[in-house]
Each structure stands twice: as C-alpha cells, then as structure tokens.
C-alpha cells in the first residue's frame, strides 16, 4: 500500500534506514591531486566545465518537470474558453473556478473523507507495522527467519490476486460503500513497512532494552516507552509514505465507494473527469481546479517532510 | 498460524515431549525459557499473522477456487472447472490487453532507466545545486495519479496541447496522442517519465555510495572517464539499477490509474479506448463492472504467473550481470 517507493509498486525490496552520506565531491577534488602537477589544471577545468554543463542541463530539465504544475495552476485561473490556450499568464485572470468548484461537486466532503481515511490508515499502519517489526527484531524464537521470509514473500504478490476475495470479505461484512475498507486492512501491518522498521530496530542498542527489563518494564512497556521513541525517524517515514499512498489511491476508492458523498478526492476527481471531460460537458476549468486542490496537500506534505521523504526513498533502493 | 499453535502446545505442557520432536533432548527448563521468549514475540506478531491469514492466505486460496467457478456475487459460485482458463485463450480482449501491457512496459522500463540514470548523473555532478534539483525532479511523484491522467489528456491533446505546441516550434507536427491508437501508449509512456523522481533518488544514492577510493585506484591504473564509468560506476550501481528495473517491470504490468482516468469509466462513451486497455483495467472491468468474479480471478492468476515468470527471468539474468559487494 505504500506508494512512494519507486512506483505504485508497493515497494518490493528495500533496505535499511540509515542513509547515504553525501560524498563531498567538490571539496575532495579541489584538495587532493595537487601532487600530480601538470595534469591538475586541465582536470580542474574539465570539472568546472562539467559542472556548468550539468547546471544548464538541469535547469532545462527542471523547467520541463515543473512546468506541468505551473500550467495546471495557471489554467485554474482561466475562464472556460481559455483553459487550453497554453498561456503562462492567464489573459483573463479569474477566481471564479475556485468559487464554483465547491458548488459543482461536494469537494469539501471529499477532502474531509480523504483526511479521515488518510489519518486512520497512516496511524494504524505505523503502529501495527512497528509492533510486528519489534516482534521480528527484538525476540529470538524458532522459525523467526522463515516467518520473516514469508513477510517478504507477500510483497511479491500482485495486488490483483487478492483484490477480489478481499472485496468479498468487506462485502460480507457489509462495509462496501463505507470508508472502512480503505484503511482497516492497515490494522494488520504492511510488509514493506515491517521490513523497513525491522532494519531500523535491529540497529538499536539492545542493552537499553535489557536494562529496561531489569528495571521492571513489561515487554509491552519496553516496546512502547523505549523502542518506539527511539524509532521515531522510521515511524515518521512510514507515516508520511502511507499518507501519500492513501491520499492518492484510486483503485480502492473505485472498488469500494459508490455514493458521491463517500468519495475520496482522487475518486471524486475521476467522477469530475467523467462528468465534465471529453466524454461529458467539457468544463475543463472545473477539472483543472479540482486537480490543483487534490494535489496541493501532497505538495505541502512534501515540503514539510522533504528530508524524510527523500532519505526514505533513497534508502529503499540501497540494498536492492 | 501453525507455528503459533505448536508453540502454544509446547507451552501449555512444558514438561511433555514436543510431539514433533523439535525440543528433544532439551531440558524442560530450557524449553520453558525458549517459550518465554516466543510468547511475547507472538503477541507482537499477531497483527501480521491475523492479517496474513485473513487478507493474504485465504484470499489466495479462495481466488484459486473462484477462478474455477462462475460467480456474480449475488448467486452462489457455480463450479465450471477450467472453463475460465480456456476462455482466457480465446478472449480477444485478453490478447489485446496483454499486448498493450507488454508493449507499454517494454517501452517504459528502458526509458525510465535511461532517464533516471541521466538525471542522477547530472545531479551527482551538480555540487551544491543538487539538493534543489533533486526536489524539483521528485515533486511530480507526489501528484495523485488521477491528476497525472488529467494532465496527460490536457498536455498531450492533439490539437492544442502544450506538447504539440512545443513540438511545433521545432517544425514537428505532433500526433494526436490521446486519440490515435498508435500514439496513445507512447504518450502514456512519456507522461509516466514525469514521475521518474523516486528512481532518480535511488540511483543518486547509489552513485554517491561508490567509494572515492575505487575511482582513485582506477585512475592510478590509467583508466579514463569511460573506462572507470564502465568498470567502476556501472558494477557498483548495478544492484540499484536492477532494483529499479524489477520494480518498474512489476508496476508496468499493473498499470492502471492514469490510463483508467484518461480513457475509461462512466464518462467515456464517445471514443474507442482499445489502445489503452491495459491488463489490470480489463481485470477491473470484468470483476467490478461486469461482476464476472470467477473469470476475473482467472485473469488475476494469469497475471500472477506472468509477473512471476518475468521476475524469475530477471533474477536469473541478474546473477550474471549484477555485482553485489561482499558476495565474493
């Protein structure tokens, strides 16, 4: 269910939390080969030229990567007839779309639903996965490695295989049409996060936990009062990853939500595309504005937690 | 679950012999202490164990059974043997969807690798500016796929989309990306490159993890830029490259959100979307639009088999091509 790792991929096989120390490229190169006289200036010039070239290329590519956002935001301030005009600055600047979009669709309700689901999903998966990861990292028991292998194996299972029976379970429980199926599965932990957290917890000093035990802490107390506070970095990464995964999830919402009042924002946005897009009434200004509103919270999350997200993603691929 | 049950059995009767003989020869007090470690562990593992049984093991078994039945959710499943699997072979849409999906993945994965490697190499060279550009390249990854689908329809619009406008500056008459069946998949592939950010970050981390000393000794051995790129950089980042290839291949086979947003659903009755019928979209339609749960389960197992086969091939190939430090 984690979306940030490389693709919707739900993260196949990631690795430990401690992250990449940046190699001090510039400093090292400037200082060290001073002994090899003669070749030095040309190499240094090459490096400077290379860096300038990299900056130019990165700037061009950066514009390409940012422009779709700019285009989208700009279009959301244009009246209906000008949405497609590709102007950077709207010819006719209007805030009308940001007024009418709330009337055209129960967008406020969709946002509320999404917030509820996202908070519940991220909180439950963080704690349940932490519990399980603790079980796998602190305790030694027979069959532990085999059982953990099973956890890893479930990451390889395409979601499509369990999708239908899972739907039938929620259907039998009368939960189809409610928000429950969108988060309650997270009560049972998620393999990718269990893996991520176990790696982190294995790196914690064991003496600390033994000392807490000697001081009379219960098993749960050690977990709750000692291990969890120490694991804050990896808990935060898990929480943020899951927030992104759930906020942007379309498939579950398509499967389980029927009534427009129960929609999450991605599902709602899809219904707007259906109603106002090429197959419908061609009110692209509504769709564009709703897209901005759907995306904006994720951009805010990213800027609030940028370091954690990027370090988390970087570490997810380190061991392959 | 079985592990839990046997452990519990041992615990309830600490003095008795383990029926499977696993504890044979261990004095009873030692076995008791082993159990003392295992019991709290099982408590901590219990969420996953329950989840595994209810949401993984049982669904797999039930899905295998359903694939042998005709089931529409309302009436009880009717056993039809291998009929669904026979139908797979003769269903033109399955062939279409498989072809679309394979073509999409074959185009997307190599481009994804090339583009993310290029961006990572540039970032590695950018010195202090790399942090800023890393943010820029990662940001699209935060965008909900539905919004990416919307952007695809708008930016790649054949008449007045931004992409064709820019191509026009260079005298290129861009195709109708969103309606011409020949160009829908390439268009979706290009759009997907926008969200390449996570792969870039992983490759950048791998590049920065290559020890400087390796480059030093390569230089002392007389290796030039290309030689050290080929003999040092490439082997050292090969695990990360392999990871990206495997993960994106699996994701490519399960492509759904963007294409479904742009081409399927209640709104579209006006144009053909055969060119964007990816496998999971067809599976979703069979299951949740036509309520052919039995047939859809068979479709799911075919997908499972294909993904497993492709991943296995990649693993076998990787044994020869991927260098894992510390392996030898």
């Amino acid at each position: 269910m984690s979306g940030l790792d490389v693709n919707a991929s739900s993260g196949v096989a990631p690795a430990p939390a401690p992250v990449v120390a940046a190699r001090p490229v510039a400093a090292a190169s400037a200082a060290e080969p001073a002994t090899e006289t003669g070749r030095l200036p040309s190499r240094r010039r090459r490096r400077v030229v290379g860096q300038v070239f990299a900056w130019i290329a990165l700037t061009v590519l950066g514009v390409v990567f940012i422009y779709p956002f700019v285009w989208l935001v700009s279009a959301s301030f244009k009246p209906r007839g000008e949405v497609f005009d590709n102007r950077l600055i709207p010819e006719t600047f209007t805030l009308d779309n940001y007024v009418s979009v709330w009337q055209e669709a129960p967008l406020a309700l969709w946002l509320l639903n999404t917030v509820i689901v996202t908070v519940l999903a991220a909180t439950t998966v963080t704690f349940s996965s932490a519990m399980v990861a603790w079980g796998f990292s602190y305790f030694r028991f027979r069959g532990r490695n085999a059982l953990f292998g099973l956890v890893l194996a479930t990451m390889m299972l395409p979601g499509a295989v369990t999708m239908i029976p899972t739907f039938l379970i929620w259907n039998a429980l009368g939960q189809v049409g409610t928000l429950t199926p969108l988060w309650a599965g997270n009560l049972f932990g998620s393999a990718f996060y269990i893996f991520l957290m176990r790696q982190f917890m294995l790196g914690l000093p064991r003496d600390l936990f033994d000392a807490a035990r000697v001081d009379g802490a219960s098993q749960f107390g050690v977990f709750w009062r000692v291990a969890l506070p120490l694991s804050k970095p990896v808990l935060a990464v898990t929480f943020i990853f899951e927030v992104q995964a759930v906020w942007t999830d379309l498939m579950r919402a398509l499967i389980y939500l029927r009534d427009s009042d129960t929609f999450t924002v991605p599902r709602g946005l899809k219904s707007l595309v259906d109603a106002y897009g090429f197959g419908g009434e061609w009110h692209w200004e509504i769709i564009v504005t709703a897209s901005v509103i759907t995306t904006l919270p994720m951009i805010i999350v990213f800027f609030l937690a940028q370091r954690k997200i990027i370090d988390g993603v970087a570490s997810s691929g380190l061991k392959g | 679950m079985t592990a839990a049950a046997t452990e519990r059995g041992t615990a309830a009767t600490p003095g008795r012999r383990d029926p499977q003989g696993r504890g044979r020869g261990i004095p009873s007090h030692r076995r008791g202490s082993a159990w003392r470690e295992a019991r709290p562990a099982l408590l901590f593992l219990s969420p996953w164990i329950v989840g595994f049984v209810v949401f993984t093991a049982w669904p797999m078994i039930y899905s295998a059974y359903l694939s042998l039945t005709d089931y529409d959710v309302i009436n009880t499943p009717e056993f039809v043997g291998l009929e669904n699997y026979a139908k797979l072979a003769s269903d033109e849409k399955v062939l279409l969807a498989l072809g679309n999906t394979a073509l999409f993945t074959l185009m997307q994965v190599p481009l994804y690798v090339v583009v993310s490697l290029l961006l990572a190499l540039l970032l590695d060279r950018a010195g202090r500016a790399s942090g800023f550009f890393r943010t820029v390249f990662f940001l699209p990854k935060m965008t909900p796929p539905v919004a990416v689908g919307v952007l695809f329809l708008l930016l790649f619009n054949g008449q007045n989309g931004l992409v064709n406008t820019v191509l026009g500056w260079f005298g290129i008459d861009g195709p109708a990306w969103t309606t011409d069946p020949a160009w829908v998949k390439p268009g979706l592939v290009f759009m997907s490159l926008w969200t390449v950010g996570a792969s870039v970050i992983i490759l950048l981390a791998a590049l920065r993890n290559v020890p400087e000393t390796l480059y030093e000794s390569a230089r002392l051995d007389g290796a030039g830029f290309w030689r050290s790129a080929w003999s040092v950089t490439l082997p050292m980042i090969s695990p990360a490259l392999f990871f990206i290839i495997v993960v994106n291949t699996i994701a490519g086979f399960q492509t759904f959100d963007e294409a479904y947003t742009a081409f399927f659903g209640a709104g579209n009755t006006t144009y053909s979307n055969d060119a964007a019928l990816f496998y999971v979209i067809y599976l979703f339609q069979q299951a949740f639009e036509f309520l052919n749960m039995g047939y859809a389960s068979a479709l799911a197992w075919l997908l499972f088999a294909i993904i497993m086969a492709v991943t296995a091939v990649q693993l076998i190939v990787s044994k020869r091509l991927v260098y894992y430090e510390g392996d030898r």
Side-chain angles (χ1 to χ4, degrees):
Chain A
M1 195 150 177
S2 66
L4 272 174
D5 33 291
V6 190
N7 237 315
S9 72
S10 293
V12 171
V19 176
V20 226
R23 178 155 43 85
V25 185
S29 70
E32 118 276 305
T35 44
E36 307 168 44
T37 43
R39 286 175 61 206
L40 167 67
S42 89
R43 186 180 302 138
R44 186 186 279 165
R45 198 178 330 127
R46 273 237 306 268
R47 195 175 270 281
V48 171
V49 169
Q51 197 167 60
V52 169
F53 170 78
W55 281 346
I56 293 169
L58 284 169
T59 307
V60 172
L61 289 162
V63 169
V64 172
F65 273 75
I66 285 299
Y67 206 80
F69 289 117
V70 178
W71 190 96
L72 196 68
V73 172
S74 167
S76 71
F77 291 113
K78 294 171 184 172
R80 185 182 180 188
E82 293 172 20
V83 168
F84 278 92
D85 70 3
N86 290 329
R87 278 173 196 275
L88 176 57
I89 313 291
E91 199 169 21
T92 323
F93 183 89
T94 174
L95 290 168
D96 287 356
N97 302 331
Y98 283 93
V99 178
S100 58
V101 71
W102 306 94
Q103 294 147 9
E104 295 295 329
L107 193 55
L109 200 53
W110 294 347
L111 285 166
L112 178 70
N113 290 336
T114 318
V115 169
I116 293 171
V117 169
T118 304
V119 169
L120 283 171
T123 310
T124 49
V125 90
T126 303
F127 283 101
S128 57
S129 303
M131 264 182 79
V132 178
W134 181 244
F136 277 119
S137 63
Y138 180 62
F139 301 99
R140 291 163 187 154
F141 54 92
R142 203 176 289 143
R144 180 176 74 162
N145 291 341
L147 205 58
F148 189 66
L150 196 57
V151 174
L152 296 185
T154 62
M155 285 201 284
M156 290 298 292
L157 190 67
V161 174
T162 54
M163 185 169 81
I164 292 166
T166 305
F167 168 81
L168 296 174
I169 292 173
W170 292 118
N171 192 39
L173 295 172
Q175 296 300 312
V176 172
T178 74
L179 295 175
T180 314
L182 275 65
W183 65 269
N186 280 359
L187 285 167
F188 307 104
S190 164
F192 170 67
Y193 300 134
I194 293 170
F195 178 83
L196 208 65
M197 290 180 173
R198 175 181 166 275
Q199 290 293 104
F200 186 91
M201 287 168 171
L202 284 174
L204 296 174
R206 209 183 161 82
D207 303 351
L208 232 51
F209 310 126
D210 293 338
R213 287 290 287 158
V214 171
D215 287 348
S218 67
Q219 291 287 9
F220 192 78
V222 174
F223 166 69
W224 190 255
R225 282 197 295 276
V226 186
L228 271 194
L230 288 173
S231 304
K232 263 185 200 148
V234 75
L235 299 181
V237 167
T238 300
F239 189 87
I240 297 160
F241 273 28
E242 190 63 7
V243 163
Q244 194 268 356
V246 176
W247 187 277
T248 60
D249 178 40
L250 174 66
M251 177 83 96
R252 265 171 230 256
L254 278 171
I255 293 174
Y256 291 107
L257 304 179
R258 300 291 149 85
D259 186 16
S260 169
D261 286 347
T262 61
F263 282 179
T264 55
V265 274
R267 178 68 186 89
L269 183 54
K270 171 60 180 147
S271 75
L272 290 181
V273 175
D274 291 344
Y276 298 128
F278 289 118
E281 292 174 39
W282 288 60
H283 273 287
W284 283 95
E285 77 284 3
I286 297 291
I287 298 173
V288 161
T289 310
S291 297
V292 172
I293 295 172
T294 306
T295 307
L296 192 63
M298 288 302 97
I299 305 295
I300 294 170
V301 165
F302 179 70
F303 280 110
L304 289 178
Q306 205 192 128
R307 236 312 33 106
K308 288 228 152 22
I309 291 175
I310 288 192
D311 287 353
V313 171
S315 67
S316 76
L318 264 191
K319 269 202 174 158
Chain B
M1 204 61 185
T2 51
T6 39
E7 300 277 15
R8 189 151 303 156
T10 333
T13 54
R16 216 172 62 193
R17 282 227 150 164
D18 181 341
Q20 288 167 17
R22 291 188 306 168
R24 203 173 297 159
I26 301 174
S28 62
H29 68 273
R30 286 273 307 277
R31 247 180 300 155
S33 93
W35 166 242
R36 237 172 281 133
E37 276 253 2
R39 188 178 50 182
L42 283 171
L43 281 176
F44 281 100
L45 300 183
S46 59
W48 181 79
I49 293 170
V50 172
F52 175 77
V53 172
V54 177
F55 288 107
T56 304
W58 184 82
M60 283 183 78
I61 296 164
Y62 197 63
S63 168
Y65 162 70
L66 277 183
S67 75
L68 305 174
T69 70
D70 201 0
Y71 183 45
D72 62 2
V73 185
I74 297 132
N75 301 300
T76 47
E78 186 193 333
F79 191 80
V80 294
L82 292 172
E83 209 173 273
N84 286 326
Y85 290 96
K87 202 168 134 199
L88 285 178
S90 59
D91 185 343
E92 280 173 26
K93 291 261 179 180
V94 170
L95 210 63
L96 175 73
L98 274 178
N100 282 342
T101 310
L103 192 57
F104 175 83
T105 309
L106 276 175
M107 286 191 285
Q108 198 227 19
V109 174
L111 271 174
Y112 224 79
V113 171
V114 169
V115 170
S116 53
L117 186 57
L118 178 81
L119 292 174
L121 285 169
L122 285 171
L123 285 175
D124 193 34
R125 224 141 284 236
R128 232 180 291 168
S130 75
F132 170 76
F133 284 109
R134 203 173 51 168
T135 304
V136 167
F137 295 138
F138 189 79
L139 207 50
K141 190 73 197 162
M142 298 300 287
T143 314
V146 185
V148 178
V150 168
L151 276 170
F152 170 72
L153 284 177
L154 296 172
L155 298 177
F156 283 79
N157 184 282
Q159 277 120 49
N160 39 22
L162 182 66
V163 171
N164 279 1
T165 306
V166 173
L167 287 176
W169 297 346
F170 299 97
I172 302 167
D173 192 13
W177 301 96
T178 59
T179 49
D180 183 343
W183 287 99
V184 162
K185 281 182 286 290
L188 285 167
V189 167
F190 285 127
M191 191 69 225
S192 79
L193 292 177
W194 190 49
T195 53
V196 79
S199 301
V200 176
I201 306 261
I202 289 170
L203 284 179
L204 180 62
L207 284 171
R208 293 201 165 157
N209 257 13
V210 182
E212 193 69 32
T213 50
L214 286 183
Y215 291 114
E216 289 298 318
S217 33
R219 204 181 302 155
L220 290 178
D221 289 347
F225 173 80
W226 292 108
R227 180 66 211 231
S228 92
W230 179 257
S231 304
V232 177
T233 314
L234 198 61
M236 290 304 285
I237 66 168
S238 60
L241 281 172
F242 176 64
F243 174 75
I244 287 169
I245 290 170
V246 170
V247 167
N248 279 298
T249 306
I250 293 174
F253 272 102
Q254 297 185 76
T255 275
F256 178 85
D257 290 355
E258 291 87 348
Y260 188 84
T261 302
F263 295 103
F264 294 86
N268 178 23
T269 46
T270 49
Y271 51 92
S272 164
N273 47 24
D274 278 356
L277 184 72
F278 293 116
Y279 194 87
V280 175
I281 293 180
Y282 187 54
L283 198 165
F284 176 86
Q285 288 182 326
Q286 285 294 339
F288 300 106
E289 287 174 17
F290 314 141
L291 295 181
N292 291 328
M293 295 288 179
Y295 187 50
S297 298
L299 281 166
W301 281 103
L302 177 61
L303 179 67
F304 178 70
I306 291 172
I307 289 179
M308 283 300 129
V310 171
T311 309
V313 169
Q314 287 176 332
L315 276 171
I316 291 164
V317 173
S318 82
K319 286 265 179 333
R320 297 184 154 274
L321 296 181
V322 177
Y323 171 78
Y324 288 102
E325 216 180 345
D327 256 13
R328 49 203 96 180

